[in-house]
Amino acid sequence: MAKTKPSDQPPAVLDVDVEGDRVLVAVDRGELSLVVEAPREIEAADLEALLTDVPEKVETVAELFTGGPDA
């Protein structure tokens, strides 16, 4: 996946919705979107640990569907 400099990226837009004991957060930045549903009381460190390897997993899955990293 092509890496971009932070200055090349549009700002992230967050949309947060709290329903009872759950929170739904949508984050959009340019062509990328991420939606997370979590317990309302989730700690930032727990969320960060959960999402740490998401970029690599997205890249791996994308490569599976496109025939590999050099396709």
Side-chain angles (χ1 to χ4, degrees):
M1 292 181 121
K3 307 257 189 257
T4 59
K5 298 176 191 174
S7 61
D8 295 341
Q9 299 176 353
V13 177
L14 286 109
D15 181 21
V16 180
D17 186 24
V18 178
E19 287 285 330
D21 65 345
R22 306 294 291 175
V23 63
L24 180 67
V25 179
V27 181
D28 294 302
R29 175 181 275 163
E31 294 182 358
L32 301 175
S33 297
L34 177 68
V35 177
V36 176
E37 180 183 357
R40 189 172 167 173
E41 306 83 26
I42 193 166
E43 297 287 331
D46 294 337
L47 184 58
E48 182 178 12
L50 175 68
L51 298 174
T52 297
D53 60 351
V54 168
E56 289 80 15
K57 288 182 178 181
V58 168
E59 189 172 60
T60 299
V61 172
E63 289 172 357
L64 289 173
F65 282 93
T66 61
D70 299 324

